[in-house]
């Protein structure tokens, strides 16, 4: 019975299809094919051809594959080929780090390398991120010659954000371009044909080093493009411009109205291709220029390509953040500045997060162009059909999209393109999405329009797909995938569920979607059909299952033209009358009978919706002849390992350089910070004061085993704390910014390095949003105020005249950056700009309350929660103490070590006088632990006078039991304990300076004659009283005048015997 499927491919479009065996070529097959055969085979992607060209021994002498290239799916085949066949160049694995390019420079430098003498054309594979690290070393490259030069192939794809979503942003390159030496040519290709030609050309420009950047995000990984080789001409002894012209290209490609008044200019890439297609369709005063040759920059060529009618040029620049001026804009502006009637040049800074919007939200890039020109038209032909397949790597049907595209690609009138992407985070084992676009070959321009912009993974889609196939039933319970289906379209679900089980297993929102969009789901159990027709198991049954799924697809795809007879005829023409010993007529008949439409008449009763995940493209897979899967550079035992590889890349990375350190710095642990950091584990978080007490003083212990963290007695621990989750969430909601949006911001402590974070990550972990703003912040913020009142107020506070207002806000009201933004709410800079205005959270340092000689792999802290109320009664909290107070057992914390003035004297018998107020007791606990250890070892120790002050002994005698034990054991010679609020009402309060006066004679003697050392740790307010107490002791018992006593104490500071650590 024929199935009438509305909205499917018409009979006329489908009737020209002739089926063939469409298996994707294996690695071995690629090696056995010659170059022309590879180009003609639409099953071979352009990226594969790039590797093929670059790995030939006749092309290059060595291929250096950096880990970042292989982590985006480029370089794996080259490694396999180098081991499998003669005629390939040797491969060298390299790990990416700062100065990574120096090894290449060394190989080419005269007098230092045998390669120079013998002749060497070196090839390197790296990513845009890797290129940014390699670039500084490239300035040392010697001049290129025909026998000594460097070619760098750069697949344009970069992981970004929390889920490592892959993106075509070249933001990393923005900081690289200005420092590249003039002897390096930079080529940019976007289509499959350009990619192949520019790769060939990069090895024929014999007088230049070459960087070739190609679109590995979409077009170069697509299947379905047959390409032509570069015309055989001499490209070596001419200029780059002449060579490009001989190849059939130009430095600047102009598309659109020949008399355009508005031009959009962009580096050749996916967005440039999309813009050119739109301009070609729209015309009407609009044109696009794509830059094919970025270096050397040809000013004359750019001026000549622009018609005299142009009045406005919009430059699209990939930049790391909104405040970075794009290098492309600088080139264009300086070129056109001296024109007779120079056009106005506008800069549009495309950050990684904005790029992500353009590739993940339908028509968002077209809408952006519509803001620059009055009318733009959709270049995607209405007749184009969109197919989408979701599967998991574990299913036997994961190759079905390749079978389908392979069959459709043989049509002379039909253009088919296939893109395969993977997500290894959102589902255990991974999930695969395959997109196929079909269009008549007569629809010019559509063959190169980037698939991600035609059919993005848009979380807010209203349905774009004409045919949707789900080849693993479990996906329906975990992921929101049916939303991609166009209203009234058909869906193929390969499942073991019956119709009733399908209805009961689907989440309620999926069922509602089927009903609301009037979708037509069909189910088939391919395994059951295969088992009925063959007793064989394993690969044979897998082949039969794929044929069954393929026949089911063809029946649904052909729509009204589908009959059992014509589907069988087409299949026999491709596979013969039998497949693996099974008659195709039986296969087709069983498939026809097994395919069942499931009717969803009404939505189910109210149920709680299940949270469904979104598919995100974050992995690229390469299949090997041995059956292994290499995902993002990791040869996996299972697909779930791919997520581990992304999260913990160093596990799979080449060995790091040797180091003398037993515990070298972990490369992923806050590498942006100048100081050495360690990841320690909280093992104890114990409150020392009673719960009903108004001060929360707590004791922390961190396990440092395996980190290499070492600290000296008296040093401080720097804690890299985070902002409060709830406060960050509330601020995002108030500011109107999506906390999951990706932004690119400067790396802390670096002027030229940037990283991508979600808004929430940035505000929680890096940006000091709840810190106190300096005066300059008010002035800077004024520039973004849209209200005149806010602008003038901010300018006033930031001026000299506004000092008293600033002082009130800062000291009395203790306003934070967030408070200021709320006070002057019309001042709302973009979130990336705001992050730069606010700046980074600084580590807070706390005196270490333990001696490593005693506690071993552990570090202790004594902390008091800092909280207060503003003049208006609003509560305030110290950022880091709040973070520490909330630590859970087992939680990881990033820390660093800071040297301190609190050091023990060189002689263990020197007397110690220690005065600590509140948590100022912390370093003295470490002192006492170490003294106790020395005593237990039979070593002599000097007298220890310990003074401690707090309000109440019963509530705030910190480490009281330990102190009493130290007294009993004779470690503490004399203890002066002052609890200021414990005395009878009306009597004078007793502080530690009063306790010191009781021992004035001993203190004076120890300081004057016994080389004693005085330490004070705590708040600053008692410093004058302590100073007076010691001066008084020296006057009374050592016969000094007041001035002499003061001068003596000052001299002790120089000898590090009068030590203050106050705050």
């Amino acid at each position: 019975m024929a199935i009438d499927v509305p909205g499917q491919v018409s009979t006329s479009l489908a009737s020209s299809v002739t089926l063939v065996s469409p298996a994707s070529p294996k690695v071995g097959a690629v090696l056995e094919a010659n170059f022309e055969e590879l180009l003609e085979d639409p099953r071979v992607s352009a990226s594969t051809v790039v590797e093929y060209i670059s790995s030939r021994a006749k092309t290059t002498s060595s291929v250096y594959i950096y880990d970042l290239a292989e982590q985006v799916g480029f370089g794996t085949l080259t490694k396999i080929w180098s081991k499998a066949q003669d005629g390939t160049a040797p491969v060298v694995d390299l790990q990416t780090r700062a100065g990574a390019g120096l090894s290449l420079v060394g190989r080419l430098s005269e007098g230092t390398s045998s390669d120079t003498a013998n002749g060497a054309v070196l090839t390197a594979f790296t990513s845009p991120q890797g290129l940014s690290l390699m670039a500084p070393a490239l300035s040392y490259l010697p001049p290129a010659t025909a026998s000594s030069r460097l070619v760098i192939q750069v697949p344009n794809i970069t992981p970004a954000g929390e889920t490592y979503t892959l993106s075509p942003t070249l933001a990393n390159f923005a900081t690289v371009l200005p420092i590249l030496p003039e002897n390096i040519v930079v080529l940019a290709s976007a289509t499959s044909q350009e990619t192949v030609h520019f790769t060939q050309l990069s090895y024929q420009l014999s007088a230049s080093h070459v960087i070739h950047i190609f679109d590995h995000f979409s077009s170069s990984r697509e299947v379905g493009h047959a390409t032509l080789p570069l015309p055989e001409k001499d490209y070596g002894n001419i200029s780059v411009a002449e060579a490009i012209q001989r190849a059939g290209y130009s430095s600047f490609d102009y598309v659109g109205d020949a008399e355009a008044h508005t031009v959009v200019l962009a580096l050749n890439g996916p967005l440039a291709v999309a813009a050119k297609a739109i301009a070609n369709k729209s015309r009407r005063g609009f044109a696009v220029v794509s830059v094919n040759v970025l270096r050397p920059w040809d000013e004359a060529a750019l001026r000549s390509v622009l018609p005299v009618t142009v009045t406005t040029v919009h430059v699209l620049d990939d930049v790391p953040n909104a405040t970075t001026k794009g290098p492309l804009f600088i080139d264009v502006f300086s070129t056109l500045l001296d024109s007779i009637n120079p056009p106005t040049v506008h800069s549009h800074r495309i950050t990684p997060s904005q790029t992500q919007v353009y590739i993940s939200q339908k028509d968002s890039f077209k809408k952006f162009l519509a803001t620059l020109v009055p009318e733009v038209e959709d270049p995607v032909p209405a007749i184009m059909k969109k197919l989408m397949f979701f599967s998991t790597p574990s299913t036997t049907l994961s190759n079905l999209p390749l079978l389908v595209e392979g069959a459709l690609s043989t049509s002379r009138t039909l253009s088919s393109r296939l893109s395969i992407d993977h997500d290894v985070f959102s589902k255990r084992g991974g999930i695969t999405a395959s997109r196929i676009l079909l269009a008549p070959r007569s629809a010019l321009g559509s063959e190169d329009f980037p698939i991600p912009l035609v059919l993005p993974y848009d979380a807010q889609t209203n349905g774009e797909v004409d045919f949707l196939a789900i080849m693993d039933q479990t996906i329906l319970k975990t992921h929101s995938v049916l939303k991609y289906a166009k209203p009234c379209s058909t869906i193929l679900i390969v499942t073991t569920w019956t119709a009733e089980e399908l209805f009961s297993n689907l989440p309620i929102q999926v069922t509602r979607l089927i009903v609301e969009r009037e979708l037509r789901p069909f189910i088939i159990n391919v395994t059951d059909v295969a088992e009925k027709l063959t007793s064989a198991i394993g690969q044979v049954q897998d082949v039969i299952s794929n044929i069954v799924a393929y026949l089911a697809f063809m029946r649904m795809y052909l729509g009204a033209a589908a009959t059992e007879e014509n589907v069988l005829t087409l299949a026999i023409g491709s596979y013969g009358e039998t497949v693996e010993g099974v008659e195709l007529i039986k296969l087709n008949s069983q498939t026809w009978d097994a395919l069942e439409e499931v009717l969803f008449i009404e939505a189910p009763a109210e149920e709680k919706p299940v949270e469904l995940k979104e598919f995100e493209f974050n992995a690229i897979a390469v299949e090997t002849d041995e059956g292994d899967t290499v995902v993002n550079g990791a040869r996996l035992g299972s697909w779930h390992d791919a997520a581990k590889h992304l999260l913990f890349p160093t596990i799979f990375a080449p060995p790091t350089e040797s180091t003398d350190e037993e515990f070298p710095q972990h490369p992923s642990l806050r590498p942006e910070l100048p100081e050495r950091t360690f990841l320690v584990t909280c093992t104890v978080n114990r409150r020392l004061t009673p719960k009903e007490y108004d001060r929360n003083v707590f004791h922390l212990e961190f396990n440092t085993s395996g980190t290499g963290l070492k600290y000296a007695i008296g040093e401080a621990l720097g804690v890299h704390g985070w902002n409060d989750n709830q406060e960050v969430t509330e601020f995002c909601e108030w500011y109107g910014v999506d906390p999951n949006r990706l932004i690119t911001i400067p790396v802390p402590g670096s002027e030229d390095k940037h990283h991508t974070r979600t808004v929430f990550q940035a505000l929680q972990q890096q940006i000091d949003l709840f810190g106190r703003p300096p005066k300059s912040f008010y002035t800077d913020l004024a520039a973004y105020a849209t209200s005149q009142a806010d602008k003038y107020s901010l300018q006033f506070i930031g001026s000299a005249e506004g000092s008293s207002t600033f002082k009130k806000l800062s000291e009395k009201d203790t306003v934070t950056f967030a408070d200021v933004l709320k006070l002057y709410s019309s001042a709302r800079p973009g979130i990336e700009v705001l992050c730069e205005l606010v700046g980074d959270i600084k580590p807070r340092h706390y005196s270490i309350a333990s001696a490593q000689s005693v506690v071993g792999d552990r570090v202790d802290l004594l902390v008091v929660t800092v909280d207060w109320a503003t003049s208006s009664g609003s509560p305030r909290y110290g950022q880091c103490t709040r973070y520490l107070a909330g630590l859970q057992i087992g939680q990881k914390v990033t820390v660093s070590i800071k040297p301190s003035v609190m050091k023990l004297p060189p002689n263990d018998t020197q007397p110690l006088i220690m005065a600590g107020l509140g948590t100022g007791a912390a370093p003295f606990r470490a002192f006492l632990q170490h003294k106790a250890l020395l005593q237990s070892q039979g070593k002599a120790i000097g007298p220890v006078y310990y003074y401690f002050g707090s309000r109440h002994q019963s509530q705030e005698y910190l480490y009281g039991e330990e102190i009493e034990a130290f007294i009993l054991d004779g470690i503490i010679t004399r203890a002066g304990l002052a609890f200021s609020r414990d005395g009878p009402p009306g009597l004078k309060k007793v502080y530690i300076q009063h306790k010191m006066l009781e021992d004035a004679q001993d203190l004076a003697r120890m300081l004057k004659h016994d080389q004693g050392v005085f330490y004070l740790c705590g708040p600053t307010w008692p410093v004058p009283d302590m100073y007076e107490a010691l001066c008084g002791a020296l006057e009374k018992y050592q016969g000094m005048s007041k001035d002499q006593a003061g001068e003596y104490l000052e001299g002790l500071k120089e000898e590090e015997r009068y030590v203050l650590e106050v705050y």
Side-chain angles (χ1 to χ4, degrees):
M1 181 178 65
I3 298 178
D4 184 12
V5 185
Q8 287 301 296
V9 179
S10 66
T11 305
S12 59
L13 183 59
S15 61
S16 63
V17 175
T18 304
L19 298 177
V20 295
S21 297
S24 182
K26 292 288 187 178
V27 175
V30 173
L31 281 176
E32 293 168 6
N34 61 43
F35 182 56
E36 287 71 22
E37 289 173 337
L38 286 182
L39 295 182
E40 294 170 1
D41 192 340
R43 300 169 298 171
V44 178
S45 69
S47 288
T48 299
V49 177
V50 173
E51 288 202 55
Y52 182 90
I53 296 170
S54 303
S55 63
R56 303 300 96 187
K58 62 182 179 181
T59 302
T60 184
S61 56
S62 297
V63 182
Y64 291 78
I65 301 178
Y66 286 88
D67 53 348
L68 290 183
E70 212 177 354
Q71 285 172 20
V72 293
F74 188 74
T76 299
L77 294 178
T78 300
K79 286 185 176 182
I80 295 171
W81 295 336
S82 70
K83 300 174 183 177
Q85 191 185 56
D86 295 333
T88 57
V91 168
V92 180
D93 277 327
L94 290 175
Q95 191 171 8
T96 305
R97 52 173 54 87
L102 290 173
S103 58
L104 302 175
V105 173
R107 291 287 300 273
L108 294 176
S109 297
E110 293 184 7
T112 62
S113 171
S114 59
D115 287 305
T116 306
N118 299 331
V121 177
L122 304 184
T123 295
F125 295 167
T126 190
S127 69
Q129 182 182 2
L131 184 62
S132 67
L133 294 171
M134 183 188 296
L138 299 181
S139 60
Y140 300 103
L141 277 172
T145 66
S147 60
S148 178
R149 50 202 166 88
L150 173 64
V151 176
I152 305 176
Q153 302 291 354
V154 183
N156 180 16
I157 191 167
T158 301
E162 188 175 15
T163 55
Y164 295 83
T165 304
L166 293 172
S167 167
T169 179
L170 273 173
N172 285 309
F173 193 60
T175 57
V176 170
L177 192 60
I179 64 173
L180 284 180
E182 294 182 357
N183 63 340
I184 295 183
V185 173
V186 180
L187 306 176
S189 60
T191 68
S192 294
Q193 184 65 79
E194 288 172 352
T195 297
V196 171
H197 282 180
F198 283 22
T199 301
Q200 290 182 273
L201 194 61
S202 63
Y203 290 100
Q204 297 195 40
L205 297 174
S206 57
S208 304
H209 303 297
V210 178
I211 295 173
H212 173 214
I213 303 169
F214 61 94
D215 175 22
H216 192 61
F217 177 76
S218 55
S219 68
S220 294
R221 288 190 307 108
E222 290 175 12
V223 172
H225 296 279
T227 54
L228 298 172
L230 187 71
E232 292 187 7
K233 299 178 181 179
D234 181 10
Y235 300 97
N237 299 312
I238 54 178
S239 69
V240 175
E242 290 175 303
I244 287 289
Q245 191 172 9
R246 284 190 185 181
Y249 299 91
S250 57
S251 296
F252 302 94
D253 188 14
Y254 183 96
V255 174
D257 191 344
E259 297 181 347
H261 52 76
T262 301
V263 168
V264 171
L265 186 145
L267 184 65
N268 201 14
L271 295 184
V273 171
K276 287 193 291 186
I278 293 171
N280 192 43
K281 182 81 171 178
S282 303
R283 301 283 173 170
R284 298 196 188 95
F286 171 44
V288 171
V289 173
S290 62
V291 181
N292 297 327
V293 182
L294 191 55
R295 290 292 183 271
W297 182 259
D298 193 335
E299 293 189 351
L302 177 57
R303 292 194 192 101
S304 66
V305 81
L306 294 177
V308 295
T309 54
V310 174
T311 59
T312 306
V313 176
H314 297 278
V315 181
L316 310 188
D317 249 317
D318 278 0
V319 292
N321 59 75
T323 61
T324 300
K325 186 171 291 186
L328 191 57
F329 168 76
I330 295 172
D331 287 336
V332 174
F333 183 81
S334 60
T335 297
L336 302 180
L337 184 63
D338 296 331
S339 301
I340 298 175
N341 293 306
T344 303
V345 183
H346 297 278
S347 173
H348 298 272
R349 300 167 184 178
I350 311 298
T351 63
S353 55
Q354 190 61 52
T355 300
Q356 207 62 27
V357 170
Y358 292 152
I359 63 175
S360 63
Q361 295 182 15
K362 176 68 175 175
D363 292 334
S364 58
F365 183 62
K366 188 177 72 173
K367 292 175 183 176
F368 163 71
L369 291 181
T371 65
L372 309 181
V373 293
E375 295 181 15
V376 294
E377 295 187 23
D378 192 346
V380 179
I383 198 172
M384 176 179 280
K385 301 301 176 183
K386 305 165 186 175
L387 285 59
M388 186 177 278
F389 301 77
F390 284 99
S391 64
T392 55
S394 59
T395 179
T396 58
L397 303 179
S398 57
N399 283 326
L400 178 62
L402 287 167
L403 268 71
V404 170
E405 195 282 331
L408 299 175
S409 67
T410 60
S411 168
R412 295 181 180 179
T413 60
L414 190 64
S415 168
S416 66
R417 297 155 58 200
L418 165 65
S419 176
I420 302 175
D421 303 321
H422 304 285
D423 181 348
V424 294
F425 277 103
S426 64
K427 182 177 175 64
R428 183 175 179 84
I431 182 172
T432 300
S434 303
R435 295 173 287 187
I436 296 178
L437 299 185
L438 304 172
R441 294 189 186 274
S442 58
L444 296 176
S446 64
E447 69 274 10
D448 290 322
F449 200 96
I451 289 180
L453 275 73
V454 177
L455 185 55
Y457 300 121
D458 188 349
Q460 306 301 321
T461 181
N462 292 318
E464 295 285 333
V465 173
D466 298 281
F467 174 85
L468 179 66
I470 311 298
M471 292 169 292
D472 186 328
Q473 62 197 27
T474 63
I475 295 173
L476 293 169
K477 300 179 71 172
T478 60
H479 284 71
S480 179
V481 293
L482 289 195
K483 67 183 177 187
Y484 293 107
K486 184 180 293 185
C488 301
S489 63
T490 56
I491 304 168
L492 175 62
I493 303 173
V494 178
T495 179
T496 58
W497 295 334
T498 64
E500 293 77 12
E501 290 170 337
L502 177 68
F503 185 84
S504 61
N505 274 296
L506 290 182
I508 184 171
Q509 62 264 49
V510 176
T511 307
R512 286 175 180 165
L513 183 70
I514 293 173
V515 174
E516 290 168 2
R517 293 194 187 174
E518 300 180 25
L519 302 178
R520 298 183 61 190
F522 287 75
I523 61 173
I524 187 169
N525 187 339
V526 297
T527 304
D528 185 55
V529 175
E531 288 176 348
K532 289 178 181 177
L533 294 170
T534 179
S535 58
I537 59 174
Q539 186 175 359
V540 171
Q541 192 175 99
D542 292 348
V543 171
I544 299 299
S545 296
N546 273 275
I547 296 297
V548 171
Y550 173 74
L551 292 170
F553 162 78
M554 287 305 301
R555 176 186 170 185
M556 299 175 68
Y557 166 74
L558 291 175
T563 66
E564 190 170 345
E565 291 74 23
N566 62 24
V567 170
L568 176 62
T569 301
L570 292 172
I572 289 176
S574 300
Y575 300 100
E577 295 188 352
T578 62
V579 176
E580 297 292 347
V582 179
E583 294 182 10
L584 203 58
I585 188 171
K586 292 183 179 179
L587 265 174
N588 190 50
S589 177
Q590 289 283 348
T591 301
W592 205 266
D593 293 338
L595 193 61
E596 175 187 358
E597 182 173 5
V598 183
L599 299 178
F600 286 77
I601 300 174
E602 59 183 20
E606 288 295 324
E607 297 177 23
K608 185 178 180 181
V610 176
E611 184 177 353
L612 296 176
K613 301 175 183 177
E614 301 295 335
F615 176 90
E616 292 190 302
F617 172 33
N618 52 42
I620 297 175
V622 178
E623 303 290 340
T624 70
D625 273 347
E626 295 79 15
D628 292 334
T629 301
V630 180
V631 180
N632 293 4
R635 190 175 292 263
L636 306 178
S638 73
W639 266 73
H640 187 58
D641 289 342
K644 299 177 185 176
H645 174 65
L646 288 170
L647 289 170
F648 311 108
T650 52
I651 296 175
F652 299 94
T656 56
E657 292 182 353
S658 60
T659 173
D660 294 334
E661 294 183 71
E662 182 181 359
F663 300 98
Q665 168 77 58
H666 192 291
S668 305
L669 182 59
R670 301 298 300 271
E672 71 273 12
L673 297 173
E675 62 263 37
R676 170 70 186 272
T677 53
F678 309 85
L679 196 63
V680 298
T681 306
C682 179
T683 55
V684 173
N685 186 348
R686 183 175 67 250
R687 179 166 178 149
L688 300 182
T689 54
K691 288 185 178 180
E692 63 275 9
Y693 192 53
D694 62 356
R695 301 185 76 210
N696 176 21
V697 183
F698 54 100
H699 169 79
L700 292 167
E701 294 181 9
F702 299 100
N703 186 344
T704 66
S705 58
T707 66
L709 187 149
K710 302 294 181 186
Y711 59 92
I713 294 172
E715 287 189 323
L717 191 73
V719 177
H720 303 266
W722 291 1
N723 285 323
D724 182 71
N725 288 10
Q726 186 61 35
E727 286 192 341
V728 171
T729 301
E730 291 174 355
F731 177 83
C732 289
E733 183 177 349
W734 175 81
Y735 207 68
V737 61
D738 180 3
N740 295 315
R741 174 187 155 194
L742 297 177
I743 59 173
T744 304
I745 55 178
V747 168
S750 172
E751 295 181 357
D752 57 351
K753 295 181 180 179
H754 297 79
H755 55 187
T756 300
R757 296 286 185 269
T758 65
V759 170
F760 186 85
Q761 283 178 314
L763 297 184
Q764 180 200 41
Q765 302 171 22
Q766 180 176 335
I767 304 303
D768 197 14
L769 185 63
F770 305 106
R772 297 190 188 183
K775 201 171 187 182
S776 59
F777 176 73
Y778 294 86
T779 305
D780 294 339
L781 188 62
Y784 300 92
T786 56
S787 159
Q788 289 297 319
D790 285 352
K791 181 185 288 288
Y792 291 145
S793 295
L794 289 165
Q795 288 175 340
F796 172 74
I797 297 169
S799 68
E801 294 80 5
S803 295
S804 59
T805 304
F806 170 73
K807 185 175 182 180
K808 175 185 177 296
L809 289 169
S810 179
E811 298 179 8
K812 185 177 181 182
D813 298 338
T814 60
V815 295
T816 65
F817 288 98
D819 292 330
V820 174
L821 290 165
K822 292 178 181 179
L823 283 170
Y824 306 100
S825 57
S826 76
R828 291 205 175 193
I831 191 64
E832 290 174 314
V833 173
L834 178 64
C835 288
E836 295 203 42
L837 291 178
V838 172
D840 302 322
I841 298 171
K842 303 298 188 294
R844 269 57 166 187
H845 294 92
Y846 301 89
S847 295
I848 296 174
S850 57
Q852 196 165 34
S853 57
V854 176
V855 300
D857 291 333
R858 198 181 91 196
V859 59
D860 299 354
L861 294 183
L862 179 64
V863 182
V864 60
T865 298
V866 179
D867 53 15
W868 69 98
T870 66
S871 57
S872 62
S874 300
R876 286 282 188 269
Y877 303 95
Q879 181 263 343
C880 200
T881 60
R882 187 182 193 182
Y883 166 73
L884 289 173
L887 288 179
Q888 302 297 313
I889 304 305
Q891 190 170 339
K892 303 290 186 180
V893 179
T894 302
V895 300
S896 53
I897 296 296
K898 180 182 179 181
S900 170
V901 294
M902 303 291 283
K903 302 174 183 177
L904 283 172
N907 190 333
D908 294 335
T909 60
Q910 287 179 251
L912 304 185
I913 307 164
M914 305 181 300
L917 278 80
T919 54
F924 304 134
R925 179 175 183 255
F927 284 16
L928 293 169
Q929 285 180 349
H930 184 69
K931 287 289 185 180
L933 175 66
L934 294 177
Q935 188 184 68
S936 69
Q937 295 172 343
K939 298 178 180 178
I941 61 173
V944 175
Y945 279 49
Y946 178 69
Y947 298 95
F948 173 75
S950 66
R951 294 186 295 180
H952 301 283
Q953 181 172 6
S954 61
Q955 295 167 317
E956 211 173 344
Y957 184 11
L958 304 179
Y959 300 127
E961 292 182 358
E962 294 183 20
I963 298 302
E964 296 299 327
F966 286 135
I967 294 171
L968 291 174
D969 292 340
I971 306 300
I972 295 177
T973 310
R974 165 79 174 158
L977 308 176
F979 301 102
S980 59
R981 308 290 174 86
D982 282 349
L987 293 183
K988 186 178 180 181
K989 294 177 181 178
V990 177
Y991 296 104
I992 56 174
Q993 61 266 28
H994 301 130
K995 293 293 182 180
M996 290 171 59
L997 288 174
E998 295 177 5
D999 303 320
Q1001 186 172 0
D1002 291 342
L1003 300 183
R1005 185 191 71 254
M1006 289 189 288
L1007 290 176
K1008 184 67 173 68
H1009 300 293
D1010 300 337
Q1011 292 294 302
V1013 185
F1014 174 79
Y1015 302 92
L1016 171 63
C1017 185
T1020 57
W1021 64 262
V1023 171
D1025 295 326
M1026 301 279 188
Y1027 185 83
E1028 289 297 326
L1030 292 176
C1031 283
L1034 290 170
E1035 288 178 53
K1036 184 174 181 180
Y1037 295 106
Q1038 295 299 321
M1040 297 182 184
S1041 67
K1042 186 174 184 178
D1043 290 341
Q1044 288 174 328
E1047 290 175 4
Y1048 184 76
L1049 289 181
E1050 290 300 317
L1052 292 185
K1053 289 182 182 180
E1054 298 297 322
E1055 299 176 26
E1056 295 185 343
R1057 290 175 49 213
Y1058 182 83
V1059 181
L1060 306 181
E1061 187 169 274
V1062 293
Y1063 36 83

